[in-house]
Amino acid sequence: MKGGIVMGKVITIGREFGSNGRAIAQKLAKVLNIGFYDKEIIHLAAEKTNLSEEMVQKADESKANPWFYEIANYDIGRGYISVETVNDAAFRAESKVIKQIAEDEDCIIVGRCADYILREKTDSRHIFIYAPLNFRIQTVCKRDQLSERDAASVVKKMDKRRRQYYNYYTDRDWNDLRQYDMAFDASIFSVQEAVDLLAAVYRHL
């Protein structure tokens, strides 16, 4: 407890697309009986801005697009005194949501540079889940009922999008495993084994 506010224990999970990172995170939250935040952050961030949920969804986990602007801070007599991209506005709002959630409750937070945003939070651990490309392609094939060719295209596209987003907003390398507290290859564990591993990490916080 700090100043009347509960300081939550948090596990953040970065993940390569198709590595089962979201499934692991979701099951972990259920086992621990704590909050799970992924796309829920989009809705909460939209509430904190003048952006629609659809706009936040479009900008979510995407680096700034110089052609996609939100005009803000109109000052009478001076006109528009600041201009920022929708992506930047969404990232700023999502960052505020993540920090607030991390103070209010124990939880699992997926993606959205949460490891960087909460890098100074001592009662948090930052995990990165990866897997060989073929494993991820097969996972997406089964999960989304896609051909191998289409699944491979989606995996590469989503990895590129997440890498560009993370690198742009953090000035870090998304694939540099040294910056995380733990990183592991999901292909060598079952989902339950991965959950058991991370539950132990959480309980030692």
Side-chain angles (χ1 to χ4, degrees), residues 115-134:
D115 64 294
Y116 177 79
I117 293 164
L118 300 177
R119 63 193 181 278
E120 296 180 0
K121 182 175 173 59
T122 57
D123 51 350
S124 66
R125 293 294 179 268
H126 310 300
I127 315 300
F128 190 81
I129 300 175
Y130 61 94
L133 179 60
N134 188 58

Side-chain angles (χ1 to χ4, degrees), residues 99-174:
K99 288 178 180 178
Q100 189 61 60
I101 291 169
E103 285 202 342
D104 289 346
E105 60 179 295
D106 289 10
C107 62
I108 311 299
I109 302 176
V110 177
R112 293 163 186 84
C113 304
D115 64 294
Y116 177 79
I117 293 164
L118 300 177
R119 63 193 181 278
E120 296 180 0
K121 182 175 173 59
T122 57
D123 51 350
S124 66
R125 293 294 179 268
H126 310 300
I127 315 300
F128 190 81
I129 300 175
Y130 61 94
L133 179 60
N134 188 58
F135 173 88
R136 296 188 290 126
I137 290 171
Q138 294 305 316
T139 297
V140 173
C141 281
K142 295 175 184 177
R143 185 186 67 197
D144 301 333
Q145 297 184 330
L146 296 176
S147 68
E148 285 195 15
R149 181 177 180 179
D150 288 344
S153 177
V154 170
V155 166
K156 292 174 182 178
K157 179 180 178 180
M158 291 303 298
D159 275 357
K160 181 178 180 180
R161 175 176 171 175
R162 288 175 180 174
R163 184 183 307 107
Q164 289 178 335
Y165 169 83
Y166 186 91
N167 293 0
Y168 180 84
Y169 284 109
T170 69
D171 285 328
R172 292 180 173 183
D173 182 352
W174 185 62

